[in-house]
Amino acid sequence: MKLFVVVVIVLFAAGLTWGIVALVRRQRYIDSLRERGWSFVNSPTFDAVARLNNPPFGLGFVRKPDDQITGLTAAGRPFQVIEYSSSHWSGWVGMVTLSRRLPELWITGGDTRPRYGVLAHAVPAPPQLGPGWQVGALEPDFAAELMNPQVSSQLSAMAAGQPGLNVGIDSDQLVVLNPPREKPELLAAWLEQLGAIATAIDAAPLDRWIQPEPQPRLTFYHHPDWYWIGVDDSLLEFTPVNRGGHTHSTSEVIRGRDGDGPPFVAFTHHWKTARTESYTDSEGRTQTRTVTENHSEPILGFQLPIRMPRLEVGRKAYRIGLSGGGISFESEAFNRQFAVHSPDLKFAYDVIHPRQMQYLMANPPASFTIEEEWAWFSPGEHSQPAIAVCSEFVRGFLARVPRFVWRNLGLPDSPYPAPEISPVS
């Protein structure tokens, strides 16, 4: 027993000593940063990354900025080095500010891979870079104009002696993964090299590519009109959440829209239930106790431009609100795959016409219910991809609602341009 106590004391002392050493080293590191005129923030707010939208930023709901270093390069160019984690990536990111907001561009060289979630197209890398480089952009002409010999020369100089280089343009930020942040002197030299690339980009004639200033809010990659709210329990008053239990709350609230599609609200609803159960204690007596269980469900709704009759559409594998097999349509293939319910048969037949049935079968959606001014989906999960899929589907569904239906509801015309239909060969 005495030996065990001694071991515990020794381990505790060793752990305490190591913790003190780590704190001292961290403080010395922070002091060395501040001696250079740089600032260090232990727990930055979301504002530190709110203007950043391209991967590793702009993806998912779990986003956590951590230690942050800010300052100016020797040439006076603002920079930021920050620790960042999400559900898809974690690590350190360094960036310097460009003189203009420019389109998305990706450059990778050496032992590195394109970032998770990037949607750019591969374009030819300039011959000055040599083999092993990849360039991606949504605007090939922009990439061709930016990747001039001066920019290529600075990229090659920065990549020399490194295993790889992963560069991206995110609005007015030139962003690189994995800066050498452990040693301030190495980080300073690295930032000067990054600043030299930014200077070469600033010197290029790229004014025709200047992008509009984004709104100062947390947004999502390739969804510029989505934005993060976080918590809004007032949504519980009108959304079709489970009304049972107690302690209802919301989290990860997202609002937005895609293009001219309907605006949406998406969030996770949390609540608790309590039940009483019996058990036998150690002395064989029957006791009761209250067990509290936590529940959650994803909620996703699209706001319609006018009130519409109730219409439920679901896969036959799902059980939706009304009883029975649903309304029978002229397509047996559709009837086998979908169940449709509505108290207004004429409205259902007008909306679920042959082209709409083809669209539904070609793009099977999550079950959804149109109820007054909302279309509520059952996406199965609260995620960025799930919202995007439902958003694209509902825009196509509403665009296929005939004009006369919208006019019968009180609108002068369809609020959504009809999709282009390719002729059948």
Side-chain angles (χ1 to χ4, degrees), residues 282-300:
S282 58
E283 298 181 1
R285 294 173 298 187
T286 299
Q287 306 281 2
T288 60
R289 59 188 171 195
T290 300
V291 178
T292 300
E293 296 180 330
N294 296 306
H295 309 271
S296 66
E297 63 179 345
I299 301 294
L300 172 60

Side-chain angles (χ1 to χ4, degrees), residues 4-23:
F4 173 77
V5 172
V6 170
V7 170
V8 170
I9 292 173
V10 170
L11 291 175
F12 175 78
L16 181 61
T17 302
W18 173 250
I20 293 172
V21 169
L23 286 173

Side-chain angles (χ1 to χ4, degrees), residues 23-294:
L23 286 173
V24 170
R25 287 179 177 175
R26 179 175 174 83
Q27 189 57 51
R28 287 176 178 172
Y29 174 75
I30 294 172
D31 291 343
S32 67
L33 298 175
R34 290 172 175 162
E35 287 171 2
R36 293 178 174 272
W38 301 347
S39 298
F40 180 86
V41 178
N42 185 57
S43 298
T45 65
F46 273 126
D47 291 341
V49 296
R51 69 181 185 277
L52 299 163
N53 189 56
N54 297 342
F57 309 101
L59 295 177
F61 305 151
V62 179
R63 309 184 191 183
K64 187 179 186 304
D66 208 334
D67 291 354
Q68 178 198 38
I69 305 166
T70 58
L72 301 174
T73 66
R77 189 180 296 273
F79 74 81
Q80 175 180 212
V81 176
I82 191 166
E83 187 177 8
Y84 181 80
S85 62
S86 71
S87 55
H88 305 291
W89 186 87
S90 63
W92 284 79
V93 188
M95 65 201 77
V96 296
T97 302
L98 299 167
S99 63
R100 294 161 291 192
R101 293 179 294 275
L102 297 173
E104 177 181 346
L105 182 76
W106 305 94
I107 309 164
T108 58
D111 185 19
T112 186
R113 294 182 297 176
R115 304 181 196 183
Y116 174 89
V118 170
L119 300 177
H121 310 296
V123 299
Q128 297 95 333
L129 283 177
W133 289 84
Q134 299 181 61
V135 178
L138 295 177
E139 299 282 355
D141 289 345
F142 167 66
E145 293 178 25
L146 184 144
M147 297 298 294
N148 58 40
Q150 292 74 26
V151 172
S152 298
S153 175
Q154 295 298 338
L155 284 165
S156 296
M158 187 170 186
Q162 297 188 40
L165 191 63
N166 194 316
V167 184
I169 291 179
D170 193 338
S171 187
D172 65 348
Q173 299 295 304
L174 184 63
V175 182
V176 183
L177 302 185
N178 305 316
R181 51 91 189 173
E182 296 90 350
K183 296 183 178 180
E185 63 275 12
L186 294 180
L187 179 60
W190 186 88
L191 288 166
E192 295 306 319
Q193 290 180 312
L194 186 59
I197 299 173
T199 298
I201 293 174
D202 286 347
L206 301 170
D207 283 356
R208 76 185 185 99
W209 296 104
I210 292 177
Q211 303 294 293
E213 183 174 2
Q215 295 191 45
R217 59 191 185 189
L218 200 64
T219 56
F220 294 81
Y221 181 56
H222 280 215
H223 297 283
D225 295 323
W226 294 19
Y227 56 98
W228 173 272
I229 293 176
V231 174
D232 183 0
D233 289 349
S234 68
L235 294 170
L236 301 174
E237 298 175 8
F238 70 90
T239 55
V241 298
N242 189 306
R243 301 292 174 182
H246 59 92
T247 319
H248 294 262
S249 65
T250 61
S251 71
E252 299 177 337
V253 178
I254 311 295
R255 282 188 177 273
R257 68 190 306 168
D258 286 308
D260 64 353
F264 71 81
V265 62
F267 61 94
T268 299
H269 167 226
H270 305 273
W271 74 100
K272 300 177 184 292
T273 57
R275 58 182 174 82
T276 301
E277 67 176 19
S278 300
Y279 69 99
T280 302
D281 64 18
S282 58
E283 298 181 1
R285 294 173 298 187
T286 299
Q287 306 281 2
T288 60
R289 59 188 171 195
T290 300
V291 178
T292 300
E293 296 180 330
N294 296 306

